[in-house]
Amino acid sequence: MGWFKRIKDGIQTTTKDKKETPEGLWHKCPTCKQMLTTEEHAENLWVCDKCEKHHRIGSVEYFHILFDNGRFKELETSLKSGDPLKFKDTKTYVVRLKQAKDKSKLTDAIRVGHGKMNDQDIIICCMDFNFIGGSMGSVVGEKISRAIDASLKKKIPLMIISKSGGARMMEAAFSLMQMAKTSAKLSLLAKAKIPYISLLTDPTTGGVTASFAMLGDVNLAEPGALIGFAGPRIVKETIGVDLPEGFQTSEFVLEHGFLDKIVKRKDLKNTISNLIKLFAN
Amino acid sequence: MATLIEIEKPLQKLLDQLDKAEHIQNESDVDVSKTIKDLKKKLREKRKEIFENLTAWERVMVSRHPDRPYTLAYINAITGGDFIELHGDRTVKDDKAMVGGLGSIDGQSVMFIGQQKGINTKMRQYRNFGMANPEGYRKALRLMKLAEKFNIPVISLIDTPGAFPGVEAEERGQGEAIARNLMEMAQLSVPIICIIIGEGASGGALGIGIGDKVLMLENSWYSVISPENCSAILWRTWEYKEQAAESLKLTGEDMLKNKLIDGIIKEPIGGAHNDPEETFRTVKEEILKQLKKLKAIEPDKLIEKRIKKFCAMGVTK
């Protein structure tokens, strides 16, 4: 026999009177299951207000957060991927590209914007993970290369927001050479003494880590991001035992000396604009 | 006794016959020199036939041939014995998978760097299968900077299945080490010649691969990933490695066609392992030829050309 007896019925609304909740009104944090309205979630810059998990966002959101009043001029919008190798695995690269475009409404895995950040000019390249895993192909390399050209010409600081699984296998060695291309170009920016801020977000791995992402005058990261060269699965296979707790997180990478600072999303804009002000001296 | 890989199996019978004939020639009074000569000719023809039409995957197999010469063998042969190996990255340790040092080629001092594989099981472990850790890339950079200081050209010999993907490699910044090399090599004021002598896998190869001339030996491969791993990721099984090798366009011919390398160095008939001495001679000649051209270019111009070359790589529309 139970200790309590229910005197009223539970749900009293009849099915007929039940109100439907429209899709997309709520966001559930995948880490702590906290529920937020989509509006609150956006106001909170897509960070969970309970566990502070920084959820993955794209260039649209970053540009909105970082540029003054969300205003910027987009550069190099017409560049599109070719298919130099006529690559085909389970489907052709051309089909993959088309599907990625339809799904993401993007032309490739990076966008470049020029605008003001707290009244200072800045060029920001931002990667989009939902375009073939943010993978780096010729377009990503070329757009970064041209963004650096613009930065050199106008003498304004550059920021790259990395979010990528690494190389784009469907462009094979062309993809590999984008590492060489972007790093070589960055050496020109360094020579011209124009500040380059690298922001590593969840996830930044492979060829992107092994090129421009690690070459910032200042390397910043969002909290809790996965940052590494080899992916955790590959490292685990190599060593054959479980990986240590917190392996390849922003905090781990900071502790080992490869990041200057971990910055919360709400503090990004002010931290970066202050850095640029200090560099300008 | 030479090791034969799958595609070389048709040579087995001829090799056995040659072995027997040579034994008879040496141990008895019977003169079989004509038979030996004929057998050698047949072997040569058979080798030519096999190696003339290799598929991409077969080339990958040849690049990994257990008898294929590795970096130090090239260096020792090319420098004629005056090579002095230099160790350590001055920060953590000496990486055995990455070697380097000073030597001379026909009186010209050069700085060698390159991944080193082991010649037997014990040495393979000692050399970590040619997979360098961050300290390896930092050692290579230290040596390149040293070369720059004394105006000595750099020769980079590439042969790696990839940069090592271990816990400590991650802790010590494998990504940063490779990235730093790419940026620094772009600005190095001395000539850099890179030669892929075996496997050129991904960032691990590129980490010492930014050169004024990037050349590939005929039976080497160079790509963003190994065919096996490519197959595993895209097809979720290793079974499609042949197809992956084909799709990746990783042979010298394809890389040259796509303007991602500057040239191919021919190997002797039957591959580098069939006649290492001949291979060393060809490589040495090629280095001397390229050095002569590169040394005539002013450092600023050299850097500018190098950066421009890499910046032109990629296909967009």
Side-chain angles (χ1 to χ4, degrees):
Chain A
M1 207 188 123
W3 285 11
F4 301 102
K5 192 170 174 221
R6 169 173 272 169
I7 36 178
K8 267 198 220 163
D9 279 339
I11 298 167
Q12 295 183 329
T13 320
T14 53
T15 315
K16 170 166 73 76
D17 297 330
K18 206 176 108 184
K19 286 187 186 116
E20 287 294 333
T21 315
E23 276 295 314
L25 218 57
W26 291 90
H27 180 89
K28 187 175 175 185
C29 173
T31 316
C32 73
K33 316 288 180 218
Q34 167 83 340
M35 296 290 282
L36 273 174
T37 66
T38 316
E39 230 167 73
E40 283 170 336
H41 192 223
E43 265 168 40
N44 216 22
L45 308 179
W46 301 274
V47 175
C48 175
D49 65 350
K50 190 175 161 201
C51 72
E52 293 226 319
K53 171 83 183 168
H54 283 52
H55 299 136
R56 281 181 193 172
I57 51 175
S59 58
V60 173
E61 290 82 6
Y62 277 112
F63 286 165
H64 173 76
I65 294 169
L66 295 173
F67 285 121
D68 293 347
N69 305 317
R71 286 181 48 179
F72 62 95
K73 186 174 168 246
E74 187 163 351
L75 310 176
E76 309 296 347
T77 49
S78 62
L79 275 183
K80 291 188 184 67
S81 274
D83 180 19
L85 305 175
K86 307 271 169 278
F87 199 92
K88 183 173 178 288
D89 49 273
T90 47
K91 42 185 142 168
T92 64
Y93 183 35
V94 177
V95 168
R96 257 181 216 281
L97 282 171
K98 171 127 198 347
Q99 286 174 346
K101 271 173 204 166
D102 292 346
K103 194 187 99 189
S104 66
K105 309 276 176 262
L106 297 161
T107 53
D108 211 292
I110 200 164
R111 285 169 69 218
V112 185
H114 173 202
K116 303 256 186 200
M117 184 193 275
N118 290 336
D119 296 325
Q120 298 175 103
D121 265 304
I122 188 165
I123 290 175
I124 306 179
C125 308
C126 182
M127 302 190 79
D128 277 293
F129 193 75
N130 57 4
F131 194 98
I132 319 187
S135 55
M136 170 163 59
S138 300
V139 172
V140 170
E142 187 60 27
K143 275 197 171 185
I144 289 178
S145 171
R146 292 190 191 182
I148 294 170
D149 285 337
S151 186
L152 276 167
K153 197 174 155 209
K154 297 177 176 137
K155 295 196 167 34
I156 50 180
L158 177 81
M159 173 181 184
I160 304 179
I161 303 172
S162 296
K163 187 184 281 293
S164 169
R168 186 172 298 169
M169 236 172 294
M170 292 70 90
E171 291 191 30
F174 282 103
S175 166
L176 180 67
M177 294 309 163
Q178 303 312 307
M179 293 168 64
K181 179 174 179 167
T182 52
S183 307
K185 262 287 166 67
L186 281 174
S187 77
L188 298 177
L189 203 64
K191 244 183 154 178
K193 302 196 193 303
I194 294 169
Y196 162 44
I197 312 286
S198 171
L199 174 69
L200 295 86
T201 69
D202 187 55
T204 300
T205 58
V208 169
T209 307
S211 59
F212 56 84
M214 276 292 166
L215 293 174
D217 290 313
V218 175
N219 291 339
L220 305 175
E222 286 188 341
L226 168 72
I227 299 168
F229 172 64
R233 194 177 48 85
I234 295 169
V235 179
K236 197 180 158 192
E237 275 170 22
T238 308
I239 59 170
V241 291
D242 282 341
L243 297 169
E245 177 87 20
F247 181 65
Q248 292 183 321
T249 57
S250 307
E251 295 71 19
F252 170 95
V253 182
L254 178 79
E255 202 51 45
H256 285 92
F258 295 97
L259 290 176
D260 290 280
K261 195 173 168 58
I262 294 173
V263 186
K264 288 180 185 170
R265 202 171 276 163
K266 66 179 169 58
D267 301 325
L268 273 179
K269 185 170 175 177
N270 287 338
T271 306
I272 293 162
S273 64
N274 279 342
L275 271 170
I276 288 171
K277 209 175 285 170
L278 289 167
F279 277 128
N281 192 15
Chain B
M1 189 66 202
T3 325
L4 297 183
I5 60 171
E6 199 54 42
I7 55 159
E8 293 173 309
K9 288 281 154 73
L11 299 171
Q12 185 73 60
K13 225 170 120 190
L14 286 167
L15 281 169
D16 286 347
Q17 284 173 0
L18 180 68
D19 216 38
K20 265 186 213 149
E22 277 175 340
H23 186 75
I24 293 167
Q25 183 76 5
N26 294 337
E27 305 292 316
S28 70
D29 299 332
V30 190
D31 183 22
V32 287
S33 58
K34 183 159 185 312
T35 321
I36 291 176
K37 212 176 141 197
D38 285 351
L39 279 170
K40 279 189 174 166
K41 195 173 162 231
K42 269 192 197 160
L43 260 173
R44 204 181 139 82
E45 276 160 10
K46 192 80 197 157
R47 279 210 171 94
K48 205 171 163 195
E49 188 192 314
I50 295 172
F51 278 81
E52 243 169 16
N53 297 303
L54 294 181
T55 64
W57 173 248
E58 284 167 346
R59 268 193 211 281
V60 173
M61 298 317 291
V62 177
S63 80
R64 296 173 184 162
H65 197 292
D67 295 340
R68 200 170 166 86
Y70 298 140
T71 299
L72 281 172
Y74 280 90
I75 296 175
N76 287 326
I78 290 170
T79 55
D82 77 351
F83 174 65
I84 300 169
E85 191 176 345
L86 303 171
H87 295 271
D89 72 337
R90 298 293 187 271
T91 308
V92 183
K93 56 160 81 163
D94 182 46
D95 192 337
K96 305 294 187 283
M98 182 78 80
V99 295
L102 282 166
S104 73
I105 314 181
D106 283 4
Q108 160 74 56
S109 297
V110 290
M111 179 66 83
F112 286 97
I113 52 170
Q115 291 98 351
Q116 178 66 30
K117 291 180 174 175
I119 49 168
N120 52 39
T121 309
K122 202 175 159 187
M123 288 306 283
R124 274 190 272 279
Q125 276 179 357
Y126 177 74
R127 297 292 184 188
N128 200 27
F129 304 89
M131 293 186 282
N133 272 284
E135 50 272 22
Y137 292 98
R138 293 185 182 122
K139 166 159 84 174
L141 182 58
R142 180 178 78 81
L143 296 181
M144 287 189 273
K145 287 283 195 185
L146 184 63
E148 184 181 42
K149 181 174 172 183
F150 295 99
N151 197 25
I152 295 168
V154 173
I155 310 292
S156 171
L157 301 176
I158 297 167
D159 189 9
T160 181
F164 189 60
V167 171
E168 291 186 345
E170 293 292 322
E171 288 175 344
R172 294 198 286 270
Q174 189 71 286
E176 194 273 346
I178 293 171
R180 186 69 49 201
N181 279 18
L182 303 182
M183 186 149 117
E184 295 284 348
M185 286 180 89
Q187 289 285 345
L188 209 73
S189 65
V190 290
I192 308 172
I193 299 172
C194 305
I195 306 174
I196 292 103
I197 57 168
E199 298 189 88
S202 197
L206 190 68
I208 54 166
I210 310 297
D212 301 297
K213 289 287 166 196
V214 179
L215 310 166
M216 284 175 73
L217 279 190
E218 197 182 349
N219 295 311
S220 66
W221 67 271
Y222 194 9
S223 196
V224 74
I225 193 169
S226 72
E228 291 96 324
N229 287 332
C230 177
S231 165
I233 292 174
L234 293 179
W235 283 272
R236 313 213 175 264
T237 155
W238 279 34
E239 312 256 310
Y240 291 86
K241 51 189 190 291
E242 284 97 342
Q243 204 176 323
E246 215 57 62
S247 300
L248 285 168
K249 301 275 183 279
L250 43 65
T251 64
E253 280 159 44
D254 283 322
M255 290 291 284
L256 187 63
K257 204 173 80 193
N258 288 326
K259 299 198 179 79
L260 298 172
I261 58 161
D262 302 297
I264 299 169
I265 302 176
K266 286 291 263 181
E267 288 182 29
I269 291 167
H273 59 282
N274 189 43
D275 191 350
E277 295 308 320
E278 176 61 24
T279 313
F280 301 150
R281 257 196 307 279
T282 329
V283 168
K284 181 178 168 178
E285 267 167 37
E286 187 67 32
I287 291 174
L288 284 170
K289 191 178 99 188
Q290 299 293 353
L291 272 183
K292 202 175 162 196
K293 281 192 244 172
L294 294 173
K295 275 171 66 187
I297 306 171
E298 285 296 308
D300 284 354
K301 193 81 200 152
L302 197 68
I303 294 169
E304 194 191 318
K305 274 180 78 171
R306 191 187 300 147
I307 294 177
K308 261 201 182 137
K309 181 179 81 177
F310 282 96
C311 285
M313 292 176 185
V315 174
T316 57
K317 45 180 193 188

